[in-house]
Amino acid sequence: MVSILWAFLIVIGIIYAFLNGNVSIINESILVNANKALELIISFLPTIVLWTGIMKIAEDAGLLTKFSNFLRPVLSKLFPSVPKDNKALGYISSNIAANMLGLGSAATPFGLKAMIELQKINDNKNRASQAMITFLVLNTAGVTIIPTLIIALRLGYGSKNPTEIIAPAVLSTMCSSIAAITIDYFIRRKK
Amino acid sequence: MKIVSIIVLPIVVLLIVLYGYIKKIDIYASFLNGAKEGMEIVVNIAPAILAMVFAVNIFLDSNVLNFILMPINKIMHFPSEILSLAFLRPISGTASLSIMTNIFKIYGPDSFYGRLSSVLQGCTDTTIYVIALYYGSIKVSKTRYTVFVGLMADLVGIVMAFILTNIFF
C-alpha cells in the first residue's frame, strides 16, 4: 500500500508537470527535497532523543506500568490479541496520552516503540497484525484535546480568541476516533 | 486552556524525574540509555522520511492538486485552499499546516474559513504519513485494511468539522 501511494504521488506529479510544461519546477523540487527531508529529520531528532531519554526514566521507575494499569481495562478490550502484561500496552497508552495533550513530537517515540513491541508478538513479520491496525487507526484518528500548534499559529495571526476552536475540534476528533474503532471492530469480526 | 498547554510539558518532565529519583533508580544512566535508543529510532526512520518528503513535494510542486480538485470546486463553493487542506491533511502535516497559515493570511484566523481550517487541522492526524512511518520502522509492507479504516475515520472527522464549525460559529 505504501509502495502504491509513493509511486502514485511521484508518477502523477511528474507526468502532470510534463503535460503542463512545468518540468523545470519538478527538476528543482527533486534537487531540493533531499535537503528538506534532512532539515525535517534534524528538526525532530533532538526532541525524539530527549523524549526517549525521559521516557526511559519513567519506564525504569515503573511509571509506565502504572499508567498502563490505569488505561488497561479500556485497552485490553481494544487489543484482545495483546497479552495483558505486555510492554506494548504501556507504550500505546503513553502514545495516546501524549497525542491527547497535543505533544505530537513526544508521542512519536512512544508509538514507534509500541510498534516494535507489537512486532515481537506478530506471527508474520511482513504483515500487519490486528493489534497494529487498531493502534494505528486509533492514533491517526487523532485524539487531540489541546491542539497546541494550531492555537499558537492562530495567536500569531492575530486571533482574538485562539482557543475557541478547541470544543469543535475535540468533538470532531472524538467522532472520528469512534468511527475508527467501530469500523475496525466490524472488519475484525468479519475475518 | 492556554496555561494548560504551557505547563503540561514542564510538569510531565518534573514528575518523571522526581518519581525516578524517589524510586532510587539511576536516572541519569536511564536517560542516556533511552536517548541512545532514540538515536537508533531516528536513524531507522530517516530513509522512510526522506522517501515521503521526496514524493509529497513532487506531487505538491506539480500543481496537479488544483486539477484534481477542480470538479469538487465547481459543485461546492469553498475556496480551493479549504479543499486542498481537507485533501492533504491525511497525507502531510507540514503541507496542510502551510495551507492553514495561508488561509489565516488571506481570510484571518477569526473568519469562518479561518476557524474551519483550524478545526480541520485539529480533527485528524496525518494518517498516510503516520502509517508509512510506523510500518516502515518495523519493515511491515502488507498493511491490509489500515489505510481504508484510517481514511474512513478521517472522512468522518472532516465532515464533522464542517458541521460543527457551522453549529458553533
Side-chain angles (χ1 to χ4, degrees):
Chain A
M1 180 64 213
V2 180
S3 296
I4 297 170
L5 173 80
W6 199 64
F8 171 83
L9 290 172
I10 294 171
V11 171
I12 297 290
I14 293 180
I15 289 178
Y16 186 76
F18 262 108
L19 294 177
N20 264 321
N22 273 340
V23 198
S24 62
I25 296 172
I26 299 300
N27 185 38
E28 204 186 308
S29 169
I30 291 171
L31 294 171
V32 177
N33 285 343
N35 277 340
K36 278 190 195 161
L38 185 69
E39 275 169 34
L40 187 69
I41 292 163
I42 288 176
S43 72
F44 70 68
L45 182 132
T47 326
I48 292 207
V49 172
L50 185 77
W51 272 99
T52 44
I54 295 283
M55 231 172 59
K56 195 77 186 173
I57 298 177
E59 190 190 331
D60 289 351
L63 260 181
L64 210 54
T65 333
K66 269 201 173 159
F67 194 42
S68 82
N69 283 346
F70 179 71
L71 288 171
R72 183 152 301 165
V74 188
L75 282 174
S76 51
K77 282 206 181 82
L78 287 176
F79 299 93
S81 58
V82 180
K84 284 187 169 40
D85 54 352
N86 194 287
K87 261 196 209 168
L89 288 180
Y91 289 129
I92 290 171
S93 56
S94 308
N95 172 271
I96 288 166
N99 268 333
M100 277 182 171
L101 298 172
L103 310 168
S105 50
T108 309
F110 288 118
L112 293 172
K113 295 205 76 172
M115 291 303 279
I116 293 170
E117 294 301 326
L118 290 176
Q119 178 73 316
K120 283 182 191 161
I121 52 169
N122 187 7
D123 298 329
N124 184 346
K125 301 291 180 207
N126 193 26
R127 188 167 174 266
S129 66
Q130 287 188 338
M132 288 176 185
I133 297 174
T134 307
F135 171 51
L136 278 187
V137 297
L138 196 59
N139 178 307
T140 59
V143 262
T144 308
I145 292 174
I146 309 165
T148 348
L149 193 56
I150 298 166
I151 294 167
L153 281 169
R154 289 176 58 80
L155 195 66
Y157 280 86
S159 169
K160 288 201 179 71
N161 193 354
T163 52
E164 67 183 2
I165 51 95
I166 286 182
V170 168
L171 282 174
S172 56
T173 206
M174 277 164 64
C175 292
S176 115
S177 300
I178 291 167
I181 295 168
T182 315
I183 301 167
D184 177 57
Y185 177 78
F186 280 110
I187 292 179
R188 229 171 9 182
R189 266 190 40 175
K190 259 175 91 180
K191 291 193 173 178
Chain B
M1 277 325 257
K2 197 179 144 202
I3 189 79
V4 174
S5 54
I6 293 168
I7 61 169
V8 101
L9 208 57
I11 283 183
V12 169
V13 174
L14 179 74
L15 284 180
I16 289 176
V17 173
L18 262 183
Y19 191 81
Y21 188 76
I22 291 165
K23 286 273 160 179
K24 293 190 176 121
I25 61 155
D26 188 350
I27 42 175
Y28 188 64
S30 289
F31 180 86
L32 290 185
N33 273 338
K36 211 179 124 199
E37 277 177 29
M39 286 295 278
E40 281 162 18
I41 290 174
V42 173
V43 170
N44 281 336
I45 63 174
I49 287 178
L50 200 138
M52 267 336 242
V53 168
F54 171 71
V56 165
N57 278 301
I58 286 179
F59 188 71
L60 292 181
D61 290 343
S62 72
N63 234 350
V64 67
L65 199 60
N66 277 337
F67 177 73
I68 295 172
L69 292 176
M70 232 189 313
I72 311 172
N73 265 349
K74 278 185 183 149
I75 304 164
M76 293 164 72
H77 297 286
F78 275 110
S80 64
E81 288 93 350
I82 291 280
L83 292 173
S84 331
L85 178 67
F87 181 79
L88 269 178
R89 185 67 187 99
I91 301 174
S92 165
T94 33
S96 58
L97 210 60
S98 73
I99 295 174
M100 187 183 80
T101 53
N102 272 341
I103 294 170
F104 285 175
K105 247 182 260 170
I106 302 169
Y107 304 97
D110 293 335
S111 67
F112 178 75
Y113 294 134
R115 285 164 172 160
L116 180 59
S117 62
S118 310
V119 178
L120 273 177
Q121 183 75 15
C123 77
T124 173
D125 205 339
T126 47
T127 307
I128 301 285
Y129 171 77
V130 170
I131 289 172
L133 180 73
Y134 281 29
Y135 281 139
S137 74
I138 53 166
K139 301 190 176 64
V140 163
S141 57
K142 296 198 178 85
T143 62
R144 297 162 76 198
Y145 51 90
T146 319
V147 174
F148 171 73
V149 181
L151 289 181
M152 287 307 283
D154 284 350
L155 189 65
V156 171
I158 288 166
V159 170
M160 286 312 290
F162 276 90
I163 295 171
L164 289 167
T165 310
N166 272 305
I167 292 174
F168 271 80
F169 304 111

